[in-house]
Amino acid sequence: MIRTVALLALTAAGAAGCAAQNKADPLPPMVECDANRVLDLKGKPRSPAVEADALARSGAKRIRWIEPGAAVTMDFRVDRLNLHVDKTGTITDARCG
């Protein structure tokens, strides 16, 4: 009898926990990057002003500067702009991800 009551109590507690987790809060809208909007930055030197301009125009939330030979993760992020630069710091490409 005690086992049955304990088992029922645990089952009820577990079900209550699941019910609380099923309440879906609305997700914030996904921000997506569009590198086509900043392709005109190719040939410009890396600078804080260029970075701010790229963020504003691309719609990205963050920028990753990629230098020659740099190791980068392969994770894809729809809200990140990758700006590739050459050894002098000049932008050579812009891609999202």
Side-chain angles (χ1 to χ4, degrees), residues 19-88:
Q21 290 176 3
N22 287 335
K23 290 183 183 178
D25 291 328
L27 295 174
M30 185 60 85
V31 174
E32 291 195 25
C33 168
D34 184 356
N36 291 323
R37 297 181 192 159
V38 295
L39 290 177
D40 61 313
L41 295 178
K42 288 183 183 181
K44 293 194 176 187
R46 178 180 181 169
S47 73
V50 167
E51 182 170 342
D53 180 41
L55 276 173
R57 293 194 294 136
S58 69
K61 288 179 118 180
R62 60 185 51 94
I63 288 185
R64 176 169 60 172
W65 293 93
I66 302 177
E67 299 174 352
V72 294
T73 60
M74 296 300 292
D75 63 318
F76 184 84
R77 299 184 61 118
V78 296
D79 64 344
R80 179 174 59 202
L81 177 64
N82 295 311
L83 290 177
H84 298 258
V85 294
D86 63 15
K87 62 182 179 181
T88 65

